[in-house]
Amino acid sequence: MQHSIKTTGLFISRTQGTHKGHISALIQAIDSGIHHILYGIGSSNKERTSENPFNFQERENIAYTLMNLLQQDHPYISYEIYNIPDFNDVKARKKHIQDTVPDFDTLISGNPHVNSIWNDKKTIIPIFDTPYRGTHIRYQLQMEDWKTLRESVPEEIIKLYKQINAPQIIQSIERQNPTPPRIATDLIIVYNKKYIVGRRKHAPYGLALIGGMLDPGERIHECALREGYEELFQRDDPDKQLILTSQHPLRINDNPLRDPRGRIISFAYEAKILGGQVTGGDDISSITFLSPEEVMNRPLEDFAFPDHKDTLLAHITMNS
């Protein structure tokens, strides 16, 4: 059955790394005929954690600023802002929304899990895929990289981040709540004068260096080599051959917020392919070959982990 798009839409965002992708999603909804937006601030009961560094009042101010920006170009729209806390039970969360938020016609969401909760009643407008991610925004805030932030965050939101001392908030969270780290490995591979990266099958999505998690009883350089074989080649490739140029890593990436899955320290090794067909495997959906120039010009947000581009840039500089 084909649903018609009505005028009221529910948009839920944790607002823990607001960027231009959120504006793009809302503009799509407006262009589809939605003129009244119910903005739900998700996980409103969580604050001062790695995933949710900002409190509700800080996020509410960001949401108001975001919606006011939209009204400048779309003065005919209206909006309301609501807090949407997390519940352990999906049904309880849905009931809270039904009891708290006015009835709406359309869910503005690209999240399959959220969509599945409402697909029996509401029309869904998919959000086009964007290169921006809240994880990257929080990483750049922690690093106080305002130049890069301005590429993906409106200036009005950046001013708010500065007013609430967002970098200091994020930096203090890790100092107060250190988590035991896990170990991962990455491979820097130049093949036919191009760097090999893979597109991840699972979240966090995006381009990434070949690599993976350390197994119990495994040495770190052994993990790097094993992951290389698993993610570069098909298992039955008789000609596959991969070596590390050294058992010592070229780089260690240990930023506490580098990975949204938790505290993961990554050891990057240089490797060479001596044989076999590079097709991709295991957790990699496809292989991409990037020249040094393409690495430099590729947006940071294309990478699942921001420091993977940093690692490649450092290798380019080292070999230039």
Side-chain angles (χ1 to χ4, degrees), residues 30-294:
I30 294 168
D31 290 344
S32 298
I34 294 175
H35 293 168
H36 186 64
I37 296 172
L38 307 174
Y39 190 121
I41 297 178
S43 303
S44 60
N45 55 334
K46 296 182 178 179
E47 61 181 67
R48 300 303 190 251
T49 67
S50 294
E51 282 289 291
N52 296 283
F54 308 126
N55 63 33
F56 176 75
Q57 183 177 359
E58 291 160 350
R59 289 184 277 163
E60 186 179 41
N61 289 337
I62 292 171
Y64 275 118
T65 300
L66 180 70
M67 295 308 301
N68 288 337
L69 281 174
L70 276 175
Q71 281 187 323
Q72 291 178 13
D73 293 326
H74 306 85
Y76 49 86
I77 69 166
S78 57
Y79 66 89
E80 302 170 59
I81 295 177
Y82 295 88
N83 72 83
I84 309 293
D86 280 349
F87 292 85
N88 292 329
D89 181 72
V90 172
K91 291 182 179 179
R93 188 170 192 256
K94 182 175 181 178
K95 185 177 186 306
H96 171 83
I97 294 174
Q98 291 172 325
D99 292 343
T100 305
V101 177
D103 192 27
F104 57 94
D105 306 294
T106 303
L107 178 69
I108 309 166
S109 172
N111 186 316
H113 174 67
V114 173
N115 294 352
S116 67
I117 298 172
W118 298 98
N119 66 357
D120 58 330
K121 294 183 179 180
K122 307 300 176 184
T123 301
I124 297 169
I125 298 179
I127 299 175
F128 296 144
D129 187 28
T130 70
Y132 309 116
R133 293 182 179 86
T135 303
H136 294 142
I137 303 303
R138 295 193 295 274
Y139 175 87
Q140 291 158 5
L141 282 170
Q142 185 192 19
M143 303 302 292
E144 300 187 61
D145 186 358
W146 302 109
K147 180 180 179 181
T148 303
L149 278 165
R150 284 186 169 88
E151 297 175 4
S152 53
V153 179
E155 187 64 34
E156 291 81 356
I157 303 295
I158 286 180
K159 289 179 181 177
L160 272 180
Y161 283 143
K162 289 184 176 181
Q163 288 174 10
I164 65 174
N165 295 317
Q168 289 71 32
I169 290 173
I170 296 174
Q171 291 163 9
S172 68
I173 288 169
E174 178 58 28
R175 291 196 298 268
Q176 296 171 9
N177 302 289
T179 55
R182 290 183 291 167
I183 301 297
T185 59
D186 297 313
L187 291 179
I188 307 165
I189 305 172
V190 178
Y191 188 68
N192 292 332
K193 298 182 180 180
K194 292 191 174 184
Y195 287 94
I196 293 180
V197 293
R199 186 164 294 280
R200 291 175 52 83
K201 287 182 182 178
H202 311 293
Y205 299 104
L207 298 177
L209 294 172
I210 301 300
M213 295 295 182
L214 184 72
D215 283 346
E218 194 174 39
R219 299 181 69 181
I220 299 177
H221 73 273
E222 293 171 343
C223 169
L225 202 56
R226 172 183 56 77
E227 287 287 347
Y229 274 106
E230 291 177 356
E231 295 195 343
L232 287 169
F233 309 107
Q234 296 299 310
R235 291 185 179 181
D236 58 355
D237 185 344
D239 300 318
K240 59 186 179 184
Q241 188 175 3
L242 179 73
I243 63 169
L244 301 180
T245 60
S246 172
Q247 292 188 4
H248 302 288
L250 284 183
R251 180 183 173 98
I252 299 174
N253 293 314
D254 61 354
N255 186 289
L257 296 180
R258 63 175 302 274
D259 194 314
R261 297 169 297 179
R263 183 74 193 276
I264 298 175
I265 299 175
S266 175
F267 293 75
Y269 292 82
E270 187 180 52
K272 291 183 178 180
I273 296 173
L274 301 182
Q277 186 174 0
V278 179
T279 58
D282 200 34
D283 293 331
I284 298 299
S285 62
S286 63
I287 293 291
T288 298
F289 300 89
L290 299 176
S291 68
E293 292 76 16
E294 289 171 325

